[in-house]
Amino acid sequence: MCGIVGYVGRARGVDGVAPKDHGALDVVLEGLRRLEYRGYDSAGVAVVADGRIESRKKSGKLVNLLNLLAEDPLPAATIGIGHTRWATHGGPTDANAHPHLADGGSLALIHNGIIENFAELKQELLSRGHSFISDTDTEVAAALLGDTYATLVAAGTTAKPLTEAMQLTCQRLEGAFTLLAVHADQPDAVVAARRNSPLVVGLGEGENFLGSDVSGFIDYTRRAVELGQDQIVTITAETVDITDFYGAPAQGKEYHVDWDAAAAEKDGYPSFMEKEIHDQPDAVGATLLGRSAPDGRLTLDELRIDPKLLKTVNKIIVLACGTSAYAGQVAKYAIEHWCRIPTEVELSHEFRYRDPIVDERTLIVSISQSGETMDTLMAVRYAREQGAMTVAICNTNGSTIPRESDAVLYTHAGPEIAVASTKAFLAQITAAYLLGLYLAQLRGNKFQGEIKDILADLAKTPAKIQQILDNSGQIKDLARSMANAKSVLFLGRHVGFPVAMEGALKLKELAYIHAEGFAAGELKHGPIALIEEGQPVVVVVPSPRGRDSLHAKIVSNIQEIRARGAKTIVIAEEGDEAVKAYAEHVFYIPETPTLLAPLLATVPLQIFACELATAKGYDVDQPRNLAKSVTVE
Ligand code: F6R
């Protein structure tokens, strides 16, 4: 939640070195453009120029801020910070937008996260004569920082008052936060802090950067430094100094970003979402790449957990939220089938609060595209405290969840910018399947030849996804014709059940249509009462070549709802003629083994939701009320 950017570049004429051809504002606005997916309730920037802070902020999307800057420009500067907000404390108004100013307007602060003890701090500051103009916890943090800064300066005991003030302030804050501050009297530095909220440093030549993630500075450098928990970083054009909250020197970990700026662009598609749907063959292919030997032996070298320990696992718990949790539910069918290890899938935010049974023989598999979802992070931490082994399946290098897990299996979907997850979902299923097969290999549940056959089928999946993408005209036409639908139901069985729930989630979040996914067998236990004349129902039908009973049962379910007036839209396997008689519309997907079918059956549902939302005129990349990375609990 919230995107944060900071920049310091070489000042004009310093040491006779030419300045950069981009100013602070260029860098900050470009970073905000790339980070806008993290929140778009308001945006704001502050620069230090001519010995004072100049700031502009505006509610609504970044474009509103750009319009304001066109009317009321900021002076050229070599240091700046910027923020794009997902509202927590206080509505999405101009006053609540960041930056917040303090110390008589000489200090500007931006923040991601929630300061849990803000009410108590606010009381304290009010009693000392401070006043507040917003409803935010951020303004309280700014006031505390400004107050501390002024006290340090008055005492004259420090050469780095902003860094020291940040340390002292962070010692008093509770909750999750990334903070970035600049002060007019220290015009060469941005000081930042993080606790349980993301922050990355970008290293340049004669300039340095800060971002919520690397897309905040990907146009300028691909050298990045991961910060640890409870660290403070002070960047100038030439230096990066890291300490803990008590001033002790600390280290970050440098890494190379293997995305380029173009990978984060739309590639000619009208939206990131459409691009990302079309990226899926590559996302699955890249996630499979280099993870098995020619004889089918899986070589997950990055799983640094001792294989002997992995062999002792007697229970797996998959922790995730939203779409990632549906990927986990798909994976459960495969993992239990291949490894014979009981596998539960639990929403991260429910797990921690129910006193779960977890011990050293439990393997926690967290699934998170962003690697920053606070609910999942907290659940992983809790499980580690109970002694469990933790593996993260994650798409974002250097993010917090993999860093805090015992091991990580990265999905190689590339940057996912659209708020609604698509390619990360297919890559997560792929990675979870690799993990399941690896455990089966280790424990000897499967012969090497069997694993090799499944991997061969997985390797054919990207081409099959491509085939669906190349033939998406029919599903798009149907989606457009349904732009006025009030409610759509989705049914599935077995692995088709989480696919149905994912199809419903995509439609809810993109097209704002009521949609529910049900296990088809559950219908007659209640939901069938929803069926009335003309009710659209999308049914994910399993392969007729798989377990016969599954196919036959769902065909009966289709008949039951049709008899009650439902308009049935069926996703079925090529050659399944039987379903035709019961469907208004049939969309065929290529033949594939039952367990791999979600990698195909999800794709038409994504296209359906995206096209329907587009037909309604909605922004599919930035649906209302949502943000890409949910870094609050
Ligand atoms: C829906 C969607 C969300 C995320 C969820 C978890 O399209 O994207 O439901 O899947 O917020 O996010 P990550 O995977 O980043 O932990």
Side-chain angles (χ1 to χ4, degrees):
M1 305 281 166
C2 301
I4 277 186
V5 196
Y7 174 78
V8 192
R10 247 173 214 146
R12 199 165 288 275
V14 167
D15 299 334
V17 182
K20 296 283 166 187
D21 56 7
H22 45 254
L25 197 60
D26 304 319
V27 177
V28 167
L29 291 175
E30 180 58 22
L32 290 185
R33 188 181 71 75
R34 291 195 183 279
L35 289 172
E36 202 184 8
Y37 70 90
R38 297 180 66 92
Y40 29 85
D41 287 330
S42 64
V45 288
V47 296
V48 185
D50 307 325
R52 47 174 215 280
I53 298 278
E54 289 266 6
S55 140
R56 304 282 183 275
K57 55 189 190 173
K58 195 73 197 151
S59 59
K61 293 191 177 182
L62 182 60
V63 64
N64 296 358
L65 174 69
L66 298 180
N67 291 339
L68 175 67
L69 286 166
E71 279 164 29
D72 188 9
L74 282 172
T78 53
I79 174 165
I81 56 176
H83 186 266
T84 177
R85 176 168 188 248
W86 186 81
T88 52
H89 282 96
T93 61
D94 289 353
N96 289 335
H98 303 204
H100 289 278
L101 303 185
D103 198 18
S106 298
L107 182 147
L109 181 87
I110 55 177
H111 164 220
N112 172 28
I114 291 180
I115 292 164
E116 285 171 357
N117 58 338
F118 90 103
E120 171 191 326
L121 294 170
K122 190 170 185 175
Q123 273 315 316
E124 178 188 319
L125 289 157
L126 283 169
S127 68
R128 297 219 304 271
H130 284 273
S131 57
F132 294 92
I133 49 176
S134 80
D135 310 316
T136 63
D137 49 350
T138 310
E139 195 185 7
V140 175
L144 183 63
L145 182 67
D147 200 65
T148 314
Y149 182 96
T151 311
L152 286 170
V153 170
T157 50
T158 171
K160 289 186 174 173
L162 191 55
T163 304
E164 207 170 304
M166 186 66 94
Q167 289 160 359
L168 293 168
T169 301
C170 289
Q171 289 169 26
R172 299 209 53 207
L173 300 180
E174 288 166 20
F177 48 86
T178 300
L179 300 169
L180 258 71
V182 286
H183 198 287
D185 296 341
Q186 217 178 307
D188 63 341
V190 180
V191 178
R194 79 167 285 243
R195 166 179 285 168
N196 291 336
S197 180
L199 178 64
V200 197
V201 182
L203 303 175
E205 295 289 325
E207 56 185 351
N208 286 307
F209 309 80
L210 294 163
S212 299
D213 64 46
V214 295
S215 46
F217 47 73
I218 191 80
D219 296 273
Y220 305 96
T221 182
R222 290 164 71 184
R223 285 174 63 209
V225 176
E226 278 176 32
L227 291 182
Q229 266 323 327
D230 287 9
Q231 288 190 339
I232 292 195
V233 60
T234 304
I235 61 164
T236 67
E238 309 293 344
T239 58
V240 173
D241 288 316
I242 304 173
T243 69
D244 67 12
F245 284 180
Y246 294 87
Q251 292 291 319
K253 191 169 140 219
E254 188 175 334
Y255 65 102
H256 180 78
V257 182
D258 51 9
W259 307 346
D260 57 12
E265 287 297 344
K266 287 185 202 161
D267 265 359
Y269 288 97
S271 63
F272 279 110
M273 178 155 186
E274 278 179 70
K275 172 186 178 280
E276 288 161 13
I277 288 173
H278 283 81
D279 281 346
Q280 293 185 110
D282 289 345
V284 171
T287 301
L288 290 171
L289 209 66
R291 284 174 160 159
S292 56
D295 66 351
R297 175 154 288 275
L298 277 152
T299 48
L300 300 186
D301 296 337
E302 64 253 71
L303 273 189
R304 297 173 309 256
I305 301 181
D306 183 349
K308 283 199 208 93
L309 277 180
L310 281 177
K311 278 191 191 168
T312 65
V313 168
N314 64 3
K315 176 161 76 167
I316 296 176
I317 304 181
V318 180
L319 296 176
C321 301
T323 290
S324 300
Y326 295 142
Q329 292 204 17
V330 170
K332 170 190 159 84
Y333 289 86
I335 295 175
E336 286 193 333
H337 181 64
W338 292 333
C339 312
R340 312 308 298 155
I341 307 175
T343 303
E344 295 169 24
V345 184
E346 182 135 12
L347 294 170
S348 314
H349 37 89
E350 288 296 317
F351 170 78
R352 198 155 67 102
Y353 299 101
R354 69 163 173 88
D355 194 14
I357 301 168
V358 176
D359 61 26
E360 341 37 82
R361 296 184 66 189
T362 310
L363 179 67
I364 297 288
V365 179
S366 64
I367 305 184
S368 175
Q369 187 288 130
S370 61
E372 300 292 350
T373 298
M374 185 58 80
D375 292 314
T376 304
L377 174 63
M378 291 302 174
V380 168
R381 279 191 189 158
Y382 177 84
R384 283 199 89 186
E385 280 161 24
Q386 312 300 308
M389 291 171 254
T390 53
V391 176
I393 291 179
C394 183
N395 195 43
T396 312
N397 251 287
S399 56
T400 310
I401 295 172
R403 275 207 326 258
E404 295 203 10
S405 301
D406 297 310
V408 54
L409 194 58
Y410 279 113
T411 47
H412 296 306
E416 192 179 66
I417 305 297
V419 165
S421 187
T422 52
K423 61 178 177 173
F425 177 70
L426 296 200
Q428 287 165 343
I429 295 173
T430 308
Y433 278 15
L434 290 177
L435 180 63
L437 289 172
Y438 181 70
L439 290 173
Q441 171 180 295
L442 267 185
R443 299 160 65 94
N445 301 95
K446 285 233 161 284
F447 294 117
Q448 209 55 58
E450 291 175 290
I451 295 179
K452 190 175 174 185
D453 289 348
I454 300 168
L455 285 174
D457 282 324
L458 272 169
K460 290 182 199 147
T461 311
K464 293 179 185 177
I465 299 172
Q466 191 58 53
Q467 209 178 313
I468 299 171
L469 295 171
D470 293 343
N471 295 295
S472 54
Q474 191 198 354
I475 192 107
K476 287 185 174 170
D477 289 345
L478 176 71
R480 284 192 292 269
S481 74
M482 286 178 61
N484 293 325
K486 293 275 172 287
S487 150
V488 181
L489 305 181
F490 291 74
L491 299 183
R493 270 179 183 263
H494 191 257
V495 284
F497 171 35
V499 170
M501 291 193 286
E502 170 60 5
L505 176 59
K506 288 283 103 66
L507 199 60
K508 280 185 241 204
E509 65 183 336
L510 295 172
Y512 319 146
I513 290 180
H514 171 257
E516 292 299 331
F518 296 108
E522 188 65 10
L523 263 194
K524 54 190 170 301
H525 300 286
I528 200 163
L530 291 169
I531 306 291
E532 57 184 5
E533 196 56 40
Q535 168 67 51
V537 183
V538 178
V539 190
V540 181
V541 176
S543 165
R545 298 170 305 107
R547 283 190 230 158
D548 269 342
S549 54
L550 264 187
H551 184 266
K553 287 274 181 310
I554 209 154
V555 169
S556 312
N557 297 139
I558 301 177
Q559 285 168 302
E560 286 155 17
I561 53 172
R562 268 204 116 199
R564 288 159 178 85
K567 172 178 163 184
T568 52
I569 301 157
V570 166
I571 311 289
E573 188 177 272
E574 265 163 13
D576 183 353
E577 294 297 320
V579 291
K580 270 194 176 155
Y582 312 111
E584 257 77 24
H585 302 272
V586 186
F587 298 95
Y588 283 115
I589 56 173
E591 274 190 13
T592 204
T594 303
L595 283 172
L596 306 195
L599 293 169
L600 306 184
T602 310
V603 180
L605 304 186
Q606 297 166 337
I607 297 170
F608 178 71
C610 181
E611 192 65 22
L612 201 153
T614 307
K616 291 180 85 172
Y618 296 148
D619 179 346
V620 290
D621 286 339
Q622 297 183 340
R624 70 185 180 202
N625 303 339
L626 293 172
K628 183 73 182 159
S629 183
V630 186
T631 54
V632 291
E633 274 187 276

